[in-house]
Structures are given as C-alpha cells and as structure tokens.
Amino acid sequence: FVLFLMYVAVKDILSLGSLFIITPINIALLIGIIVFHEFLHAICHPCLGFTDKTVIGIHPQKMVFYAHYVETMSRNRFLFSMLNPFIILSVIPIVIILLHNRSIIIIARIAILNALLSCGDLLGLIIIVTQVPKNAVIKNKGWYSYWKNNDYP
C-alpha cells in the first residue's frame, strides 16, 4: 500500500532511473539520507541515543551502516527504532506530497531512496513481530539478535 502511495505521489515527475545515475547531487543526497536515517534509529534508543551504549557506524566489508544499542531494549521500543526512519523519511513525505496534490522532486527522491534503504529494517521488523513475544526484551550481539521473555525471571 505504501509503495502504491509512493508511486501515485511521484509518477509524474520522477523516473526511478534518475535516482541511480551517479552524480555529485545524488551521492550527497544518499550520504545525507544515510546519516539522518541512522540518527533516527539512534534517537529511539534510551536517553535519545546520547549514551556510550549507542554506537553509530559502518561495516565496510558488508557495506552496511548501523545504529546499534549494546544493552537490552523492550520489543516495542526496538520495533519503533526500526520503523522510525521509514515513517519519518518515506511515509510522511509521501503523505505531504499527496495532501498538497503536487510532486516535490527532492522530497520524492528522499522518500524513495530511504524506502530502498529501509528494506532490511522492514524485514527485521516483520521477523520480530512474528517471532518475538510482545513482552520480551531484545539484545543485539554482533549480527545476531536475541530475545528473552520478560515474564519469567
């Protein structure tokens, strides 16, 4: 449904092909989106991410950027952290474009690029929603996530 709304909002002014042409503007836009995307993950961590327990970085071998919290988080906070950049940088801009009934190229580009960057977050969100109990806490360790049911001591 969100992809359909994105298509409706940008179909007249933006071809997807132009997003993948390597230009200084596209590179700068991509870097800016990545940095802000990870910041939006981090502000969902305890203390708005301003602790030594939040780490923002890049794994060069895997070409992956990340915002990592080294302690446990509730399942719902973890889900919110995963979903926040998609909502802020993709869904809300598309809603704004649809409400104003006109396409704004830069907002459409940001929304589409971020939606593409959010694929891993959305896949992780689906896995956690379907496999982790609502009252659990989650902890990441390296590339693995572990959960513990909070009902039992």
Side-chain angles (χ1 to χ4, degrees):
F1 179 71
V2 172
L3 292 175
F4 173 74
L5 289 178
M6 290 176 73
Y7 170 74
V8 169
V10 300
K11 67 178 174 146
D12 293 332
I13 55 110
L14 184 68
S15 70
L16 281 176
S18 68
L19 286 174
F20 303 107
I21 297 172
I22 298 174
T23 65
I25 291 173
N26 283 349
I27 292 170
L29 185 62
L30 182 63
I31 291 169
I33 291 169
I34 289 169
V35 169
F36 194 57
H37 177 107
E38 297 308 328
F39 171 77
L40 289 172
H41 281 303
I43 64 170
C44 297
H45 297 169
C47 299
L48 296 174
F50 294 108
T51 71
D52 59 347
K53 307 227 183 310
T54 294
V55 179
I56 298 175
I58 180 174
H59 191 291
Q61 288 90 355
K62 297 186 186 247
M63 292 291 296
V64 175
F65 298 86
Y66 60 87
H68 175 74
Y69 187 69
V70 298
E71 295 294 327
T72 59
M73 272 195 281
S74 71
R75 171 190 177 264
N76 290 341
R77 182 177 217 148
F78 194 85
L79 290 173
F80 179 64
S81 173
M82 292 182 80
L83 194 56
N84 191 38
F86 182 70
I87 292 171
I88 300 293
L89 292 174
S90 292
V91 175
I92 291 174
I94 295 303
V95 169
I96 290 169
I97 289 171
L98 290 170
L99 289 176
H100 289 323
N101 200 22
R102 62 180 245 227
S103 295
I104 304 164
I105 293 174
I106 190 71
I107 293 176
R109 282 178 179 245
I110 290 169
I112 291 170
L113 283 172
N114 184 70
L116 293 171
L117 294 172
S118 295
C119 291
D121 297 336
L122 297 176
L123 178 61
L125 182 114
I126 291 167
I127 290 168
I128 290 170
V129 165
T130 58
Q131 296 181 7
V132 177
K134 290 181 181 174
N135 56 345
V137 292
I138 298 175
K139 182 171 184 171
N140 285 328
K141 187 171 182 182
W143 293 102
Y144 299 97
S145 297
Y146 301 93
W147 62 268
K148 178 176 109 174
N149 199 334
N150 223 14
D151 280 346
Y152 305 105

